[in-house]
Amino acid sequence: MTTPSIAVRVRGVAKSFGGTRILEGIDVEIAAGTVHALVGENGAGKSSLGKIIGGYYMPDEGEVEILGARVARFSPRDALGLGVAMIHQELQLAPELNVVQNVFLGRESQRAGILVGGDTARFAALEKACDFGIDPLAKVATLRIAERQKVEIMRAIARDAQVIIMDEPTSSLTEDEADRLHEVIRRLKGQGKTVIYVSHFLDHILANCDNVTIMRDGKVVRTSPMTGETKQTLVDSMLGQAAEILWPALPAAPAETLPPIAELRGVSTGTGLSDVSLVIRPGEIVGLVGLVGSGRTEVARALFGADRITGGEYLIEGAPARGRFTVHDAIAAGVALVPEDRRKQGLVLTQPTRFNISLGTLGRISRFGILDRGAEIRQTREMIGHFGIVPGAIDGRVARYSGGNQQKVLLSKWAVAKPKLLILDEPSRGVDIGARRRIHDFIVEMARQGVGVLLISSELEEVINLSHRCYLLSEGRIFAEEPAAALTVEAALTRVFLEQNSQRNRQEAAS
Ligand SMILES: Nc1ncnc2c1ncn2[C@@H]1O[C@H](COP(=O)(O)OP(=O)(O)O)[C@@H](O)[C@H]1O
Ligand SMILES: [Mg+2]
């Protein structure tokens, strides 16, 4: 039998939940041996379509064919039998088991749940192919989200699926890790496998996919080859209008004579920063431009008291931070950090929306030590409306929210707490364009209200368009400072690459 050229055919599929149509008249053909992108705003139906193909949902109408075989029963097990595996947006791992056990879960259960020696060898082969660098014996509960995502990816590959659906696989990965995943995807494609790739990162989509299906409001807008697509054409179709990728107008930069909120003078840390000097003034948005590993997050952590400063000086509103400056001291001084890994470091997942939003202001909305519930509820409602948090329940279960909505909850916390210095590490990572726009407006509004903002983002476009001033970093050092208006993405990238090369050359020459 020859391989059918269509790996997945979806015809006339419709699906409702509780009387609400979430998919309607879906027709898609996915060619075998291609990487096929699914894009659309939050709620467009990408995950639901993926779950129908992966056997997790049964369509109300229409039919699905996998590698030429019509799907008769919809279950993940049946889908796997036909060669389809899905990597979920909400990761589905057994936290108490280790990495190898999770990767081969379901397979080894056929052998009464006992992990056999062969699995370790098979894992080593898999690890060689993926090069993710995961400790095979680490318990999954102890892993960061990015590592868990890698475990899910390895599991799908281990199942030898012909069609792998990846639902936002890079949402918690660094740029470097995402590159490695894309390398794995290229290899899978080389072996004739089909990958359905759901993502908000349009750059990743444009660079790694052969075809794209754009969805909006539960319908397919169109399916097209990637050649000829640009960010603009994708966004226009996702939104259903010619949307300019507009950046909000920044308030005027503060005068250079305005005393800084935070200043680093020749700061070094044990985490690799060396001789870092920078200032952030009230009402100013300062961007850090650098490659992954250049020390951007380390600067954020030093300012937040999370890493110890071993040399130089840190001044907050002109006063030197004394002694062992801790996170506690930073918060007391009005410094806030929205970390890259929001699930782990920013939110209290066991608590509802209301609690998470008022976390930063508990002192202010309690009188005589008694929490003013009315004020807390009013504040929460206001923020849910302002950011468009979905679901909009004040006691919503944050743990179940999408990445974009979790990020909005986290930002709401700081919008009401009004810190003096707000450090944002990858604030719009993994959120859709609607949420992104709200986050950008929020950043600008904070600056307008006099908050000093330090912005870190792997998307240079974002840093350059949302900052007043940028520092360029490489290998833990700041090597240049520029008004953002003087930078372009290409120029900034070229400079950080050149600097890194010349630094490495100098180091080699010196050793
Ligand atoms: N199991 C479910 N029960 C009820 N509604 C659901 C369920 N799964 C998805 N939905 C709804 O379907 C719509 C599409 O969701 P989803 O497929 O997750 O979109 P996307 O992945 O594009 O963000 C949303 O309005 C969502 O709330
Ligand atoms: Mg989704």
Side-chain angles (χ1 to χ4, degrees):
M1 194 183 99
T2 56
T3 318
S5 58
I6 299 298
V8 179
R9 182 177 273 129
V10 176
R11 235 180 280 151
V13 157
K15 179 76 184 167
S16 298
F17 281 110
T20 310
R21 262 285 150 99
I22 60 152
L23 291 176
E24 198 170 340
I26 304 286
D27 291 311
V28 184
E29 283 186 357
I30 295 169
T34 63
V35 184
H36 193 111
L38 272 187
V39 302
E41 270 204 282
N42 254 350
K46 307 177 298 290
S47 294
S48 300
L49 177 57
K51 284 177 185 168
I52 286 177
I53 298 169
Y56 288 83
Y57 290 166
M58 192 170 90
D60 300 334
E61 293 169 27
E63 57 186 56
V64 178
E65 260 176 39
I66 308 286
L67 300 162
R70 167 132 183 234
V71 179
R73 283 191 313 265
F74 285 84
S75 80
R77 176 182 289 265
D78 287 306
L80 202 52
L82 292 169
V84 182
M86 178 165 187
I87 299 165
H88 284 263
Q89 198 170 4
E90 313 86 30
L91 303 182
Q92 305 200 326
L93 297 170
E96 291 308 309
L97 299 182
N98 69 28
V99 170
V100 181
Q101 287 167 326
N102 266 284
V103 166
F104 297 114
L105 201 69
R107 280 193 151 194
E108 39 90 18
S109 68
Q110 290 151 6
R111 279 166 275 141
I114 297 157
L115 196 63
V116 292
D119 281 343
T120 319
R122 274 195 296 145
F123 184 84
L126 203 57
E127 170 59 31
K128 200 158 163 244
C130 295
D131 193 22
F132 282 153
I134 305 185
D135 172 8
L137 297 179
K139 202 199 253 187
V140 161
T142 66
L143 299 179
R144 295 189 308 127
I145 311 181
E147 315 303 329
R148 293 189 195 196
Q149 222 151 17
K150 294 183 210 163
V151 177
E152 285 257 9
I153 292 162
M154 292 175 95
R155 177 157 74 162
I157 297 171
R159 291 180 169 187
D160 200 29
Q162 293 306 305
V163 178
I164 302 178
I165 306 159
M166 301 189 178
D167 198 354
E168 309 210 14
T170 62
S171 58
S172 324
L173 302 186
T174 63
E175 206 57 24
D176 209 35
E177 291 168 327
D179 285 347
R180 251 173 286 156
L181 173 67
H182 295 138
E183 192 52 50
V184 171
I185 290 177
R186 267 190 290 280
R187 223 170 297 145
L188 291 170
K189 181 180 149 179
Q191 296 163 6
K193 308 212 161 160
T194 308
V195 176
I196 301 176
Y197 188 102
V198 182
S199 176
H200 288 303
F201 294 100
L202 298 182
D203 292 319
H204 292 176
I205 294 277
L206 286 162
N208 296 290
C209 301
D210 302 299
N211 297 297
V212 58
T213 294
I214 301 160
M215 297 183 71
R216 183 170 73 238
D217 296 334
K219 300 190 190 74
V220 168
V221 178
R222 62 190 168 86
T223 297
S224 316
M226 199 60 79
T227 40
E229 296 290 339
T230 62
K231 245 190 211 182
Q232 186 73 57
T233 59
L234 295 177
V235 169
D236 289 352
S237 295
M238 281 158 68
L239 295 181
Q241 63 201 27
E244 268 183 79
I245 307 179
L246 279 179
W247 300 93
L250 301 190
E256 283 185 23
T257 51
L258 192 68
I261 274 187
E263 177 170 7
L264 296 180
R265 288 188 189 157
V267 158
S268 310
T269 63
T271 56
L273 297 185
S274 120
D275 196 20
V276 168
S277 299
L278 58 78
V279 296
I280 303 159
R281 301 188 179 87
E284 187 179 32
I285 308 174
V286 173
L288 289 186
V289 173
L291 304 173
V292 169
S294 61
R296 297 171 309 184
T297 295
E298 287 70 18
V299 170
R301 290 178 56 87
L303 288 167
F304 192 55
D307 291 335
R308 186 170 188 163
I309 292 174
T310 51
E313 252 195 317
Y314 178 11
L315 296 98
I316 300 181
E317 295 188 293
R322 299 236 172 261
R324 170 86 177 90
F325 184 76
T326 64
V327 170
H328 194 83
D329 300 327
I331 292 170
V335 180
L337 169 70
V338 175
E340 200 176 355
D341 189 348
R342 52 191 166 252
R343 290 182 69 99
K344 207 151 187 183
Q345 301 173 26
L347 292 169
V348 184
L349 291 174
T350 51
Q351 293 287 341
T353 309
R354 177 162 60 114
F355 177 91
N356 275 288
I357 291 179
S358 41
L359 201 56
T361 44
L362 282 179
R364 253 188 280 154
I365 53 175
S366 52
R367 259 189 289 165
F368 314 115
I370 300 160
L371 190 66
D372 181 347
R373 254 179 222 295
E376 198 195 19
I377 288 170
R378 263 196 310 282
Q379 192 180 64
T380 306
R381 286 230 171 86
E382 203 183 310
M383 285 301 134
I384 288 170
H386 177 72
F387 277 102
I389 297 171
V390 183
I394 57 170
D395 282 314
R397 296 184 59 181
V398 174
R400 299 227 175 133
Y401 284 15
S402 67
N405 283 295
Q406 288 184 343
Q407 184 72 325
K408 291 180 198 169
V409 172
L410 199 50
L411 295 175
S412 297
K413 176 169 98 176
W414 297 119
V416 298
K418 300 242 167 52
K420 289 179 183 160
L421 171 64
L422 178 62
I423 306 164
L424 299 164
D425 196 353
E426 304 283 1
S428 63
R429 181 162 201 111
V431 308
D432 71 83
I433 38 180
R436 248 172 94 92
R437 186 55 207 256
R438 284 203 172 87
I439 291 169
H440 292 164
D441 289 343
F442 160 80
I443 294 171
V444 168
E445 182 53 30
M446 286 284 107
R448 199 174 312 253
Q449 293 183 18
V451 175
V453 179
L454 183 74
L455 178 62
I456 300 173
S457 166
S458 301
E459 278 182 65
L460 280 180
E461 221 179 343
E462 190 171 49
V463 184
I464 288 171
N465 284 290
L466 281 175
S467 303
H468 291 110
R469 207 154 47 82
C470 293
Y471 289 103
L472 279 63
L473 250 96
S474 174
E475 313 262 302
R477 292 168 186 272
I478 287 178
F479 67 91
E481 177 193 342
E482 295 286 351
L487 289 172
T488 62
V489 170
E490 292 74 21
L493 253 185
T494 309
R495 286 177 66 180
V496 291
F497 268 118
L498 286 179
E499 178 66 20
Q500 191 183 52
N501 271 323
S502 69
Q503 269 177 342
R504 296 225 164 126
N505 290 342
R506 276 200 298 277
Q507 279 160 12
E508 272 165 30
S511 65

